[in-house]
């Protein structure tokens, strides 16, 4: 659930003004005109400062109705017509209020931060690697191009920051991209404008501000199937504020969308097009290697001798494969997708200190029937030469490890998310991530349980 404080001052202003217009019979006619002017000024100011919000469309219509009614002074002589008209106006106002309340512009604020957070987006092109087949099978990538990646970096800074909109003028509407992906994948018919306000999302970061130091440890975030580097921003901001350089990359072609300089790359929305999920995860691990090599080669200010990985779903598989070939400090796996490794006869041997956290859905063996589950893999196919720890998050499903809870309250009671409140799932993720990176004892609580 999104809380009311995510409604901004403009939301309150335009709602109060429109409520005043509904109650205009109690207001002198001259004052009504001033209220209408205030309404127009409020809409214009909101549009210029925040941006277009489709949730305001009904309020635009209400204001237009009141302007027309003011100048033409329509008389509704029959009481039934007056009653029906008022009912329609109240219904429109109520609907608009609920849309603004339940679909506000998200704000990713950082609590208890030690450092402010700086932000950079980096474009990487590897001239020695062509686009891998597992990715161009899944997207509109051309197989003849070099491998290209977009990377977000969140890093500690001592410079003060404030909430800003990073993606207001992005080349693609990422809210619309999410809806299109959901429609393609699950044959839904959600309207594409439903999440278009997500481009207006606020982040408590400073763009290209100075690093606080050049020796902070590095955390790589690798997303899951058709995820996106922004989907765990709530967790990544928290990590950066606690003294980590956090590198989040789009696995171009697998990511839901990636805004490359040459254009936007979209995932097709179907796993059926992929020749082999293991090959997808292997190529994802090479993306991580490419990113780390690029940053080291350019002397990026961080300690690349101390790298940890956070991976969600297929990102968990790719994180494991990366750490099997490269030195890692900690490996944090959120609902890791390991069954494709077993299907390809890959021995799963944990050689990095690893922290598993599963959704209750996966812990319960969500596949059902006789198919191999991730719990089967954990119990029967995994060996270890390093310590590993296993937990699950109660009342959760697979997407409670990403920011769908913050950006789409509509997902709260869907198959995407469990019944756990977004704020509770975020607290679990933040506590688990930081404790794992610091190698501190992880204690059970209401929402975090040990897997025996």
């Amino acid at each position: 659930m999104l809380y009311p404080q995510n409604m901004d001052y403009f939301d309150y202003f335009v709602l109060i003004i429109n409520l005043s217009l509904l109650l205009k019979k109690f207001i002198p006619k001259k004052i009504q005109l001033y209220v209408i002017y205030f309404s127009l000024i409020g809409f214009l100011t909101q549009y210029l400062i925040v941006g277009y919000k489709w949730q305001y469309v009904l309020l635009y219509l209400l204001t237009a109705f009141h302007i027309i009614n003011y100048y033409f002074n329509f008389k509704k002589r029959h009481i039934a017509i007056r009653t029906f008209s008022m009912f329609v106006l109240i219904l429109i106002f109520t609907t608009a209020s609920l849309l603004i309340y339940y679909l506000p512009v998200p704000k990713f604020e950082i609590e208890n931060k030690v450092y402010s957070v700086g932000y950079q987006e980096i474009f990487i092109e590897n001239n020695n690697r062509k686009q891998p087949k597992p990715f161009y099978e899944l997207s509109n990538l051309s197989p003849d191009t070099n491998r290209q990646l977009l990377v977000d970096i969140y890093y500690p800074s001592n410079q003060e920051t404030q909430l800003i909109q990073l993606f207001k003028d992005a080349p693609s509407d990422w809210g619309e991209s999410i809806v299109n992906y959901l429609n393609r994948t699950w044959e839904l018919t959600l309207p594409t404008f439903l999440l278009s306000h997500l481009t207006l999302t606020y982040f408590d970061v400073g763009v290209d501000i100075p690093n606080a130091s050049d020796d902070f440890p590095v955390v790589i975030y690798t997303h899951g199937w058709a995820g996106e580097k922004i989907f765990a921003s709530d967790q990544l901001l928290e990590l950066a504020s606690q003294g980590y350089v956090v590198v989040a990359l789009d696995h171009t072609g697998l990511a839901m969308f990636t805004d490359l300089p040459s254009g936007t790359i979209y995932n097709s929305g179907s796993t059926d097009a992929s020749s082999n999920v293991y090959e997808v995860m292997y190529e994802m691990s090479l993306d991580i290697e490419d990113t780390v090599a690029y940053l080291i080669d350019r002397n990026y200010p961080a300690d690349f001798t101390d790298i940890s990985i956070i991976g969600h779903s297929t990102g968990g598989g790719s994180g494991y494969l990366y750490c099997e070939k490269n030195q890692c400090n900690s490996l944090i796996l959120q609902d890791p997708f390991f069954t494709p490794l077993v299907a390809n006869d890959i021995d799963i041997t944990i050689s990095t200190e690893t922290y598993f956290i599963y959704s209750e859905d996966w812990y319960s063996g969500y596949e059902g029937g006789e198919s191999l589950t991730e719990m089967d893999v954990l119990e029967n196919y995994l060996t270890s030469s390093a310590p590993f720890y296993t937990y699950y998050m109660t009342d959760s499903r697979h997407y409670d490890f990403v920011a769908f809870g913050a950006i789409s309250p509509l997902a709260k009671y869907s198959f995407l998310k469990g019944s756990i409140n977004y704020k509770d799932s975020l607290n679990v993720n933040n506590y688990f991530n930081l404790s794992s990176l610091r190698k501190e004892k992880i204690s059970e609580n209401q929402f975090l349980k040990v897997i025996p």
Side-chain angles (χ1 to χ4, degrees):
M1 176 179 179
L2 279 170
Y3 297 99
Q5 60 260 36
N6 271 19
M7 292 174 62
D8 60 32
Y9 294 115
F10 287 110
D11 294 335
Y12 290 117
F13 176 80
V14 298
L15 288 174
I16 290 171
I17 288 292
N18 274 269
L19 180 61
S20 302
L21 291 173
L22 278 179
L23 303 174
K24 64 179 183 295
K25 71 176 183 178
F26 303 108
I27 302 175
K29 191 171 180 64
K30 188 173 182 180
I31 301 298
Q32 290 179 32
L33 182 60
Y34 291 139
V35 173
I36 288 172
Y37 286 155
F38 274 124
S39 179
L40 295 175
I41 292 170
F43 283 136
L44 179 61
T45 306
Q46 188 276 341
Y47 177 79
L48 294 175
I49 293 178
V50 178
Y52 169 71
K53 289 173 65 174
W54 66 269
Q55 293 91 328
Y56 278 19
V57 168
L58 292 176
L59 297 178
Y60 297 153
L61 294 176
L62 273 182
T63 300
F65 168 81
H66 289 301
I67 292 172
I68 293 171
N69 191 54
Y70 179 87
Y71 283 105
F72 291 95
N73 197 23
F74 295 119
K75 298 292 185 182
K76 308 175 192 69
R77 302 186 182 279
H78 199 286
I79 187 170
I81 295 177
R82 291 202 304 270
T83 302
F84 178 74
S85 299
M86 180 57 68
F87 171 77
V88 171
L89 293 176
I90 292 174
L91 179 63
I92 292 174
F93 176 80
T94 303
T95 302
S97 301
L98 291 174
L99 287 173
I100 291 172
Y101 179 87
Y102 285 107
L103 288 174
V105 173
K107 295 178 183 178
F108 289 118
E109 299 179 79
I110 307 169
E111 298 179 2
N112 305 315
K113 59 184 177 182
V114 178
Y115 297 95
S116 297
V117 176
Y119 169 84
Q120 292 176 278
E121 185 179 64
I122 295 176
F123 171 67
I124 298 173
E125 181 171 9
N126 186 344
N127 294 322
N128 298 317
R129 182 181 172 211
K130 292 297 183 183
Q131 298 289 357
K133 181 180 179 183
F135 293 147
Y136 66 70
E137 285 180 325
L138 295 167
S139 67
N140 59 325
L141 277 170
S142 169
D144 299 324
T145 57
N146 296 326
R147 186 63 176 153
Q148 297 177 327
L149 302 168
L150 269 187
V151 176
D152 284 342
I153 301 181
Y154 305 93
Y155 56 89
S157 176
N158 290 321
Q159 182 170 314
E160 290 189 13
T161 57
Q162 59 185 358
L163 288 167
I164 61 172
Q165 295 170 296
L166 287 177
F167 306 103
K168 181 178 177 180
D169 301 313
S172 66
D173 184 327
W174 65 282
E176 185 175 303
S177 297
I178 293 172
V179 174
N180 284 331
Y181 177 82
L182 295 174
N183 287 344
R184 288 195 304 269
T185 306
W186 288 291
E187 298 180 352
L188 305 175
T189 55
L190 299 173
T192 56
F193 64 80
L194 188 65
L195 301 178
S196 63
H197 62 292
L198 297 185
T199 56
L200 308 178
T201 301
Y202 290 95
F203 297 83
D204 186 6
V205 299
V207 177
D208 294 329
I209 60 179
N211 296 56
S213 175
D214 61 359
D215 60 356
F216 289 113
V218 175
V219 176
I220 308 288
Y221 177 75
T222 170
H223 64 74
W225 193 285
E228 222 277 345
K229 58 184 169 62
I230 197 176
F231 283 176
S233 292
D234 46 6
Q235 299 170 58
L236 307 186
L237 288 168
E238 175 74 17
L239 293 175
S241 77
Q242 299 301 312
Y244 295 89
V245 172
V246 184
V247 179
L249 60 149
D250 268 352
H251 297 286
T252 311
L254 177 74
M256 192 175 289
F257 63 96
T258 304
D259 289 326
L260 299 176
S262 57
T264 302
I265 303 301
Y266 294 103
N267 182 282
S268 65
S270 173
T271 59
D272 297 334
S274 173
S275 57
N276 189 303
V277 178
Y278 163 70
E279 291 179 2
V280 171
M281 293 194 292
Y282 173 76
E283 294 293 343
M284 291 169 72
S285 73
L286 298 186
D287 286 348
I288 300 172
E289 290 184 350
D290 287 350
T291 301
V292 171
Y294 178 93
L295 295 173
I296 291 175
D297 186 56
R298 283 153 183 80
N299 296 313
Y300 189 87
D303 182 4
F304 286 96
T305 65
D306 186 351
I307 295 177
S308 296
I309 303 288
I310 298 177
H312 175 243
S313 194
T314 46
S318 69
Y320 162 75
L321 293 172
Y322 173 84
C323 290
E324 287 307 291
K325 297 180 291 179
N326 302 274
Q327 181 66 40
C328 294
N329 185 28
S330 294
L331 178 58
I332 301 169
L333 302 175
Q334 303 171 330
D335 264 357
F337 194 30
F338 276 8
T339 52
L341 302 179
V342 175
N344 282 266
D345 298 320
I346 306 297
D347 291 330
I348 305 173
T349 303
I350 301 296
S351 58
T352 298
E353 186 161 326
T354 302
Y355 298 81
F356 292 84
I357 181 169
Y358 292 91
S359 62
E360 186 164 6
D361 204 23
W362 282 36
Y363 170 62
S364 302
Y366 73 100
E367 289 97 340
E370 298 179 357
S371 59
L372 184 70
T373 71
E374 292 302 325
M375 288 301 103
D376 294 331
V377 175
L378 185 64
E379 294 172 5
N380 303 310
Y381 292 91
L382 188 148
T383 59
S384 175
S385 61
F388 70 95
Y389 309 90
T390 54
Y391 297 81
Y392 73 95
M393 182 161 54
T394 60
D395 301 324
S396 64
R397 291 185 178 175
H398 191 53
Y399 283 94
D400 282 298
F401 295 109
V402 292
F404 271 102
I407 64 177
S408 176
L410 294 180
K412 182 177 180 184
Y413 300 108
S414 73
F415 62 94
L416 293 172
K417 287 181 54 60
S419 59
I420 188 171
N421 185 280
Y422 163 69
K423 196 72 174 178
D424 293 325
S425 65
L426 177 58
N427 287 337
V428 170
N429 286 323
N430 286 340
Y431 169 68
F432 190 84
N433 292 340
L434 281 169
S435 298
S436 302
L437 291 169
R438 294 166 176 169
K439 302 187 187 301
E440 297 174 345
K441 177 179 173 57
I442 298 175
S443 301
E444 289 186 290
N445 58 43
Q446 178 185 355
F447 302 106
L448 184 62
K449 303 296 181 183
V450 171
I451 297 175

